[in-house]
Amino acid sequence: MKLGLALSGGGYRATVFHLGTLARLAESGRLEDVTFLSTVSGGSLCVALIHALNNFQWPTSDRYLEHVLPKARSILITKDFHRSIIGRILRSPLQIFETRADDLSDLMRKHWGVTAVLSDLPVSPRWMINATTCETGKNWRWERFRIGDSLFGYSYDTQKVPLADAVASSAGFPGLIGPLVFDTRPYQWFRYKDRSKILVDPETQRQRKTEPFTPDFPIVHLWDGGVYDNHGLEGLHDFIHGWREDIEFFIISDGAGRAKPERYSRGIKALMRISTGIMMDQVRSLRARAIVERLINHDDLGAFLQAGNSSRYILSQAKLPQVEIDNICADSMTDEEVKLAAEMPTVIRKLTEVEFERLFRHGFEVADHTLYGYHPEIFTHMSFSQARSSARIRST
């Protein structure tokens, strides 16, 4: 079964939630089925760390559980990007008004080992790293074979692009990190003569007729992909036709968490609340509804895994028998623990062991309960305690 995965933004909260989602898939031996990855911000950090810990290859299920996951946990509870970035600013106070995307990229190289360039990435699964082009207002995608957006144009010169830069742009949250300032002049750019948005494989893409051109903007500013689409859906989902034809089962892992009501604050705080809070939340909501509509009203197979959904809510919505719901929920996170996980702020600081465990388990359980609740013919139920009793999960 060909799996497509979209891993949302949300800082380390999303990163660890996704690690839990992937652990649940690995327990069923499903990581080998992943053919497409589309990531934003925290999701991009997650997949970059996984690749860096596995010689820039997508891991098998066993490799992920036994080798990659324990090392990822160790890094996320010991390496503090936030403090390192603040330290750099204090050493050079004038940098307080500049973007920190370059600093984030350097830290990923130094502490995570994200030293590859885009062309080093494996052919499969095809990984789309999403950012937002400030100049065009479009979804900028970094891939193994191509970079660019539909309005700005594209380049095949991916051997020149550090993977860490691509991920830093995807995670460049406004106000916290800022945009990656990308000089387009060393690259050869083209546009497709056929401007239709065709979702096809790289080899077919390369056969499309192109025309060279010089971009209107020699320098572009690439912000957090979540500004445009925090789920990373556009490359894998079409609002009219649903999933790409070569995706048989589409899983959206949404670790964006839940926004809380806030007391009104005047000035810049109010503007940030509207632009990066309410407006972005509405965009996420509309895209999520489009996915749910495909799942309910069409033949597209998949699952929407959302942080903040409790076990009882998921299983009740799936209409499982009440006795079974009670049995499963007796061995699951409490509603209060779920709330703490979902409301954790968007951060890139090191996590405590308790924070990591809570987020990881939440991702695992949301994946298990959603996949089993709606697709029991494909996924059997596995409690977190069952998985943890194995040497693989316990080693985290």
Side-chain angles (χ1 to χ4, degrees):
M1 181 172 61
K2 296 179 180 179
L3 289 181
L5 295 182
L7 307 182
S8 79
Y12 277 7
R13 178 188 59 248
T15 297
V16 181
F17 182 86
H18 300 323
L19 288 174
T21 293
L22 294 172
R24 178 60 192 89
L25 293 174
E27 285 289 351
S28 295
R30 292 289 183 179
L31 292 192
E32 289 82 349
D33 295 338
V34 177
T35 56
F36 284 93
L37 289 162
S38 182
T39 64
V40 180
S41 190
S44 298
L45 292 170
C46 175
V47 176
L49 181 56
I50 288 170
H51 276 82
L53 294 175
N54 197 52
N55 197 29
F56 298 100
Q57 297 294 316
W58 183 245
T60 64
S61 295
D62 286 346
R63 177 75 173 172
Y64 175 77
L65 292 169
E66 297 170 4
H67 176 79
V68 174
L69 183 55
K71 289 191 174 182
R73 177 189 183 276
S74 177
I75 286 172
L76 291 172
I77 65 174
T78 58
K79 304 298 182 182
D80 196 325
F81 283 179
H82 184 85
R83 179 172 294 184
S84 296
I85 288 173
I86 295 299
R88 292 183 181 206
I89 293 173
L90 292 176
R91 288 193 293 273
S92 301
L94 293 179
Q95 287 189 2
I96 193 170
F97 300 110
E98 299 178 3
T99 178
R100 267 78 72 186
D102 289 342
D103 289 333
L104 179 58
S105 178
D106 288 342
L107 290 168
M108 279 189 282
R109 290 185 182 93
K110 180 179 178 180
H111 296 296
W112 287 13
V114 183
T115 55
V117 295
L118 289 182
S119 59
D120 293 333
L121 293 174
V123 173
S124 182
R126 180 176 172 182
W127 180 17
M128 301 175 182
I129 305 169
N130 297 280
T132 304
T133 317
C134 186
E135 284 75 8
T136 65
K138 297 297 182 181
N139 172 209
W140 181 284
R141 290 185 208 146
W142 308 92
E143 296 192 60
R144 176 189 59 83
F145 79 104
R146 189 185 64 178
I147 62 175
D149 74 39
S150 59
L151 186 58
F152 183 88
Y154 298 98
S155 173
Y156 289 139
D157 296 337
T158 58
Q159 72 279 3
K160 302 177 182 179
V161 182
L163 174 60
D165 283 359
V167 174
S169 75
S170 182
F173 189 78
L176 180 65
I177 299 298
L180 180 82
V181 181
F182 183 61
D183 188 347
T184 70
R185 289 169 292 189
Y187 301 80
Q188 293 184 328
W189 296 92
F190 66 86
R191 285 177 172 155
Y192 294 109
K193 291 183 177 181
D194 171 14
R195 295 295 180 89
S196 61
K197 294 184 179 180
I198 304 173
L199 302 179
V200 295
D201 63 271
E203 288 306 314
T204 304
Q205 288 280 17
R206 286 183 176 275
Q207 293 171 17
R208 294 171 64 187
K209 294 182 179 180
T210 63
E211 52 189 2
F213 83 107
T214 301
D216 295 331
F217 304 99
I219 305 291
V220 292
H221 297 77
L222 304 174
W223 291 86
D224 183 352
V227 175
Y228 185 87
D229 170 14
N230 199 51
H231 293 113
L233 298 175
E234 192 163 284
L236 304 184
H237 165 258
D238 180 274
F239 279 84
I240 297 174
H241 303 105
W243 319 157
R244 297 176 59 112
E245 290 184 358
D246 41 6
I247 290 179
E248 296 171 339
F249 198 99
F250 189 22
I251 297 175
I252 300 90
S253 182
D254 182 4
R258 296 288 176 87
K260 295 185 294 184
E262 294 182 13
R263 188 179 299 277
Y264 181 76
S265 299
R266 301 171 65 179
I268 188 65
K269 288 186 177 180
L271 292 175
M272 291 295 289
R273 169 69 171 165
I274 292 171
S275 61
T276 65
I278 297 171
M279 291 175 65
M280 287 176 64
D281 186 63
Q282 181 65 3
V283 171
R284 290 195 296 268
S285 177
L286 290 172
R287 289 186 179 274
R289 291 173 192 173
I291 292 294
V292 173
E293 191 277 333
R294 297 299 308 187
L295 295 173
I296 294 174
N297 298 326
H298 302 271
D299 295 329
D300 298 330
L301 292 176
F304 193 95
L305 317 179
Q306 188 167 41
N309 284 348
S310 68
S311 301
R312 191 168 297 277
Y313 174 81
I314 294 169
L315 299 171
S316 297
Q317 290 293 303
K319 296 181 169 44
L320 264 64
Q322 189 60 49
V323 172
E324 186 173 11
I325 293 175
D326 292 341
N327 287 336
I328 293 175
C329 291
D331 194 28
S332 302
M333 293 176 68
T334 66
D335 289 353
E336 182 59 30
E337 290 172 322
V338 168
K339 186 172 183 288
L340 286 172
E343 293 183 354
M344 181 177 174
T346 300
V347 297
I348 54 169
R349 61 164 173 78
K350 70 177 180 181
L351 303 175
T352 67
E353 293 187 17
V354 171
E355 288 172 331
F356 184 96
E357 174 80 2
R358 183 189 298 130
L359 290 166
F360 177 78
R361 179 171 183 172
H362 186 38
F364 186 100
E365 291 189 346
V366 169
D368 178 77
H369 299 159
T370 306
L371 293 168
Y372 169 67
Y374 289 93
H375 300 282
E377 73 286 358
I378 302 175
F379 296 92
T380 59
H381 166 57
M382 173 179 285
S383 70
F384 186 75
S385 59
Q386 282 179 293
R388 197 168 187 181
S389 67
S390 72
R392 298 183 299 185
I393 288 292
R394 189 168 63 246
S395 64
T396 66

